[in-house]
Amino acid sequence: MLDMTGVTSFYGSSPVLQNVSLSVPRGAVLSVLGRNGVGKTTLMRTIMGLTDRATGGIGLDGRDIQAEPTHRRAELGIAYVPQGRGIIGRFTIRENILMGSFARPDGKRAIPPLVFELFPYLGENLNRRGGDLSGGQQQQLAIARALAANPSVLLLDEPTEGIQPNIVEQIQNIIVALNREHGLTIVLVEQNVRFVRRASQRFLMLDKGRVAAHGDTALLSDELVHRHMTV
Amino acid sequence: MDILLSQLFTGLSIGSVLLLVALGLAIIYGAMGVINLAHGEFVMLGAYATWLLQSTLGLSLLPCLFLVFLMVAAAGWAVERTVVRFLYRRPLDTILATWGVGIMLQQAVRLAAGADLRYVETPNPLSGSIDLAGVAIPSYRLFVLAFAAALLGVTWFVVQRTEFGMKLRAVTQNREMASCTGIDSARVFSLTFAFGSGLAGLAGALVAPIKSVAPDMGTNFVVDAFMVVVVGGVGSLFGTVASSGLLGGGTAGFAFLLNDTLAKALVFLGVIVLVRFRPQGLFAATGRR
Ligand SMILES: Nc1ncnc2c1ncn2[C@@H]1O[C@H](COP(=O)(O)OP(=O)(O)OP(=O)(O)O)[C@@H](O)[C@H]1O
Ligand SMILES: [Mg+2]
């Protein structure tokens, strides 16, 4: 579904991500792990085409998208929930969600019913400003916006970071449901190893911008976690 | 009393043309942070386009307006595509480049149309005046005021109520996130630049019958329009409107009491004092981002 082969990605002239290859089969969840600053966010931004420059190949459904600009990648079915959530503060909840639908190639502009089902709070407060929401609500909104694009691949960058514990579990359940019940292919950046083991079939461990280990989640041993994730 | 009313009216019509110029400038600056020093030349192009259409095709002003909008918008689009878009991350270079573009446009028009002043006729049905509470108000000035108000309404509608406007607001607030939702920000910028230029062109068409048309006529407009944007505050449509009225009225008022030059100087002084104490302008957009 989504593949990278030998991708090196730059900010300015420094190669933050080096020679990264990965492959996410359709309907799978790939978790990306690693310490702070190893390049997890950069990996997501590289898939979206947001770094200054990238070499190597990025393919979606067998089609090379490396030369496509960011907005085309979105139209081709990749939706991104960034680490800072990227909510438009002066937009209402409705506008923030509808904005996601601009990526729909069929031109349909509507909030999908699934959004109301998963996030009743958003549905009941469509006219509140995005900037006035709590962190957890903004995270829900960012996921809702991504879903409005009717994507085939969802990129989630630390979706539970900085969120109250009682809401964390709710968001985790929604991520699992999006994958298992709604068939979304997901790339998930996540520090919580227990959740990685629960949600994903594949993992990719980054260290200093390179792939340190990858494979089936069953192979994600405590020893690996210890070696590449403890500070 | 009568003189006051007629002065007030002159102030309003000056203000309304100023509003059209400033509106384009403010939209372009607000959306992409580009200080477009060639903006006055788009006013000039609008005036010349009107003159050209009138002298070659014999079109009267009113049917010209739509064509002038399209012509100047196309010119703006071309400038954005060929120059401005390469400079989005370099504000200082944009200022210099647009200044250069402005000079080139001025010289090109001087070469093509000659340096003589050109005149555009007031359309016949609007050449008389209307009696308002005992004061004769030129109908053309009334028309300018109404037309500017209508364009303001159209602009508000485009920005706040259309899909294009929503894309524009999204790109303005978070360009990266906007492109991640499928918005082609380069295209949004080109069209916005074209729209702002088109508005300036319309302002040029509207003043053509009131003022003489000359290659360097844009310079004054761009200075005044900048003052409007600075006083009104960036990112506030209402601020742009209010400060156009304020500056138009102020200029007309002082000019009535003193003389034109002194009026300009006083208004300028007022703007400097205001910017000293309220650098964000009178009505800067507030709120969390
Ligand atoms: N816009 C940027 N310009 C230059 N360097 C950057 C930029 N963004 C990130 N970097 C650098 O790239 C490296 C990787 O950053 P990245 O944000 O991808 O890490 P991360 O794994 O997501 O970290 P965290 O767990 O803290 O989110 C860091 O050294 C960072 O300083
Ligand atoms: Mg990160």
Side-chain angles (χ1 to χ4, degrees), chain B residues 65-172:
Chain B
L65 289 173
F66 187 65
L67 285 174
V68 168
F69 177 81
L70 290 182
M71 287 161 77
V72 180
W77 186 83
V79 167
E80 199 276 345
R81 291 269 84 186
T82 53
V83 180
V84 177
R85 82 178 171 121
F86 299 106
L87 303 170
Y88 280 127
R89 291 176 190 182
R90 291 143 58 188
L92 203 63
D93 295 350
T94 331
I95 295 179
L96 285 174
T98 53
W99 189 53
V101 166
I103 292 175
M104 277 162 49
L105 289 174
Q106 266 190 39
Q107 295 304 337
V109 167
R110 190 167 280 134
L111 283 175
D116 313 344
L117 297 184
R118 303 291 179 179
Y119 298 93
V120 168
E121 283 168 32
T122 311
N124 258 333
L126 297 173
S127 55
S129 56
I130 287 174
D131 192 84
L132 208 76
V135 184
I137 307 283
S139 349
Y140 186 68
R141 290 202 179 254
L142 256 183
F143 165 73
V144 169
L145 193 64
F147 193 76
L151 277 180
L152 176 67
V154 168
T155 304
W156 179 87
F157 185 84
V158 168
V159 173
Q160 296 296 331
R161 289 285 178 273
T162 63
E163 182 169 315
F164 176 77
M166 196 170 144
K167 288 180 176 173
L168 171 61
R169 285 179 291 137
V171 171
T172 304

Side-chain angles (χ1 to χ4, degrees), chain B residues 232-277:
Chain B
V234 173
S236 155
L237 202 60
F238 175 73
T240 308
V241 176
S243 83
S244 304
L246 209 63
L247 292 190
T251 311
F254 285 133
F256 169 62
L257 296 171
L258 307 158
N259 65 50
D260 279 354
T261 317
L262 214 52
K264 269 255 138 63
L266 278 177
V267 168
F268 208 47
L269 187 71
V271 171
I272 292 172
V273 172
L274 179 101
V275 170
R276 167 66 186 77
F277 291 103

Side-chain angles (χ1 to χ4, degrees), chain B residues 11 14-16 18-20 22-23 228 239-250:
Chain B
I14 295 177
S16 59
L18 202 52
L19 171 66
L20 290 186
L23 208 55
V228 167
T240 308
V241 176
S243 83
S244 304
L246 209 63
L247 292 190

Side-chain angles (χ1 to χ4, degrees), chain A residues 11 16 34-43 83 157-158 191:
Chain A
Y11 283 119
V16 174
R35 293 190 188 91
N36 290 123
V38 295
K40 305 182 295 296
T41 297
T42 305
L43 175 65
Q83 195 164 13
D157 196 346
E158 306 210 24
Q191 306 271 29

Side-chain angles (χ1 to χ4, degrees), chain A residues 167-230:
Chain A
I167 305 197
V168 167
E169 201 186 321
Q170 184 200 338
I171 288 185
Q172 289 177 341
N173 292 339
I174 284 172
I175 293 168
V176 171
L178 284 176
N179 171 241
R180 304 217 174 127
E181 287 161 35
H182 303 279
L184 269 173
T185 306
I186 296 177
V187 181
L188 170 73
V189 172
E190 182 59 65
Q191 306 271 29
N192 178 337
V193 177
R194 269 187 54 203
F195 180 55
V196 167
R197 289 188 173 127
R198 175 183 157 209
S200 53
Q201 295 84 37
R202 304 260 186 135
F203 79 96
L204 182 89
M205 181 71 77
L206 285 179
D207 208 342
K208 295 193 190 100
R210 294 173 181 275
V211 179
H214 67 102
D216 218 89
T217 309
L219 302 173
L220 179 63
S221 63
D222 291 345
E223 194 269 330
L224 257 181
V225 169
H226 184 76
R227 185 166 1 131
H228 296 289
M229 288 184 71
T230 42

Side-chain angles (χ1 to χ4, degrees), chain B residues 9-26:
Chain B
F9 210 79
T10 311
L12 272 181
S13 64
I14 295 177
S16 59
V17 171
L18 202 52
L19 171 66
L20 290 186
V21 184
L23 208 55
L25 201 63

Side-chain angles (χ1 to χ4, degrees), chain A residues 39-77:
Chain A
K40 305 182 295 296
T41 297
T42 305
L43 175 65
M44 304 296 241
R45 290 173 58 84
T46 304
I47 297 173
M48 285 316 292
L50 289 170
T51 58
D52 293 342
R53 191 163 68 85
T55 60
I58 305 178
L60 181 69
D61 271 331
R63 161 184 185 159
D64 184 16
I65 60 165
Q66 178 67 286
E68 301 284 357
T70 302
H71 70 96
R72 282 288 302 147
R73 299 186 193 196
E75 284 174 354
L76 289 171

